[in-house]
Amino acid sequence: MHKNRKRVVTILWESYWKKEKKSGMPIHELRKHYASYLIYEILRREINTVSLSNINCKLLEIGAGASRSSLLLSLDGATPFFLDTSISALNISKELATFHNIEAHHIQGDAFTLPFKDDSFDVVWSGGLLEHFYKEEQQQLIKEHIRVTKKGGKAIILVPHRNAPIYNVFRQIAQKLGTWPYGPEEPMIDTDFESVEGAKLKIYSVGALHQIGAISVLPLGGFLSLIVEKLLRFLLRNKYEEIDLRKSKYGHHLIAVYEKVMRI
């Protein structure tokens, strides 16, 4: 394993979350945070076979950050567990959970060696985690996701799609300009997700419109991406989210769903 990459990523994200503003966010504001809401909708559609309203339904987010998408799922009834290496990220998540009276479990830990027993959670997911590591590390992370997922449950992994043209063009420009804030990335394609014994694998991508947000990493890009998004929302009326959630060969989010097989 490339220890230097892991160390660089850990330091970078602790620095990132230290700068993030900590504040309570009402439900309607959580839903307005479009990146989080889009992921929430993706997850909600995937875990409809898992009863979130069941008091025993346990959900783990790995590399949780502020946990906004999982907090929305928690409001649907799941019992949330949030794991991150960054104590600053966990503090933000704790504040948001307290603000919404959500009883959540926050764990500072290593995604490569999760501090949980096998078959512990109904739903295990991560978003924006694997792409920061090398290929062999990505496979190790996938196996850890699946290991702690209960039989009959789902491990869901979201990463930037290597075939998302707008996202990748502006990511590469920003990296050359030195304005890319998210550290090293290895965007993935479907063949990067290997079959794992004991789990059924499904892969697809969504978020063809969401990748427009990548413009924001350029100088003055935040203003430009906002203008483009508002224009598209005006032209598409109330179809923007519906279109963004459609499966696309060029969507921003590549989604791998491992459903752990029940054994008789």
Side-chain angles (χ1 to χ4, degrees), residues 79-129:
T79 301
F81 290 72
F82 301 133
L83 181 138
D84 205 293
T85 58
S86 169
I87 192 65
S88 297
L90 291 172
N91 285 338
I92 294 172
S93 178
K94 285 178 184 178
E95 185 171 314
L96 283 169
T98 300
F99 187 84
H100 293 293
N101 294 316
I102 294 170
E103 186 175 345
H105 306 268
H106 293 83
I107 304 102
Q108 186 178 24
D110 188 342
F112 290 90
T113 53
L114 295 171
F116 307 109
K117 295 180 180 179
D118 296 358
D119 307 313
S120 292
F121 298 94
D122 299 281
V123 179
V124 176
W125 82 277
S126 67
L129 173 65

Side-chain angles (χ1 to χ4, degrees), residues 40-59:
Y40 161 73
E41 282 294 331
I42 294 167
L43 294 170
R44 187 179 63 82
R45 294 179 182 203
E46 274 304 330
I47 61 181
N48 57 6
T49 55
V50 179
S51 177
L52 288 176
S53 60
N54 183 338
I55 193 169
N56 295 317
C57 179
K58 295 169 65 179
L59 176 145

Side-chain angles (χ1 to χ4, degrees), residues 43-263:
L43 294 170
R44 187 179 63 82
R45 294 179 182 203
E46 274 304 330
I47 61 181
N48 57 6
T49 55
V50 179
S51 177
L52 288 176
S53 60
N54 183 338
I55 193 169
N56 295 317
C57 179
K58 295 169 65 179
L59 176 145
L60 170 66
E61 182 179 359
I62 304 171
S67 318
R68 294 185 183 97
S69 301
S70 287
L71 286 170
L72 288 170
L73 287 170
S74 303
L75 293 167
D76 291 340
T79 301
F81 290 72
F82 301 133
L83 181 138
D84 205 293
T85 58
S86 169
I87 192 65
S88 297
L90 291 172
N91 285 338
I92 294 172
S93 178
K94 285 178 184 178
E95 185 171 314
L96 283 169
T98 300
F99 187 84
H100 293 293
N101 294 316
I102 294 170
E103 186 175 345
H105 306 268
H106 293 83
I107 304 102
Q108 186 178 24
D110 188 342
F112 290 90
T113 53
L114 295 171
F116 307 109
K117 295 180 180 179
D118 296 358
D119 307 313
S120 292
F121 298 94
D122 299 281
V123 179
V124 176
W125 82 277
S126 67
L129 173 65
L130 268 68
E131 71 270 16
H132 297 296
F133 299 95
Y134 295 107
K135 184 173 176 61
E136 58 267 35
E137 294 174 306
Q138 292 172 351
Q139 301 312 312
Q140 185 180 347
L141 287 167
I142 291 169
K143 289 177 181 177
E144 273 295 274
H145 280 64
I146 297 169
R147 180 184 69 78
V148 299
T149 302
K150 290 180 181 178
K151 294 177 177 63
K154 289 184 176 181
I156 305 168
I157 301 170
L158 291 81
V159 293
H161 195 188
R162 199 183 303 166
N163 290 340
I166 298 172
Y167 170 79
N168 282 297
V169 165
F170 284 101
R171 174 180 63 83
Q172 291 168 15
I173 292 172
Q175 286 175 331
K176 289 179 180 178
L177 292 175
T179 59
W180 182 252
Y182 306 120
E185 284 198 5
E186 306 286 338
M188 301 171 71
I189 54 175
D190 54 359
T191 54
D192 290 324
F193 288 95
E194 300 174 356
S195 296
V196 176
E197 184 179 359
K200 294 186 291 185
L201 173 60
K202 174 176 67 175
I203 306 173
Y204 60 96
S205 70
V206 301
L209 298 176
H210 179 57
Q211 62 185 303
I212 293 165
I215 300 171
S216 65
V217 298
L218 300 181
L220 301 178
F223 175 74
L224 180 58
S225 66
L226 182 63
I227 294 299
V228 174
E229 182 181 334
K230 284 185 177 295
L231 177 60
L232 284 173
R233 285 184 178 276
F234 174 77
L235 294 172
L236 298 172
R237 303 300 179 184
N238 57 352
K239 296 286 187 179
Y240 188 94
E241 287 84 359
E242 179 186 327
I243 292 172
D244 216 13
L245 283 163
R246 289 178 187 168
K247 293 179 182 179
S248 166
K249 291 181 180 179
Y250 309 106
H252 181 172
H253 295 292
L254 182 65
I255 301 150
V257 182
Y258 290 90
E259 185 172 359
K260 202 163 181 180
V261 177
M262 294 286 289
R263 296 189 183 276

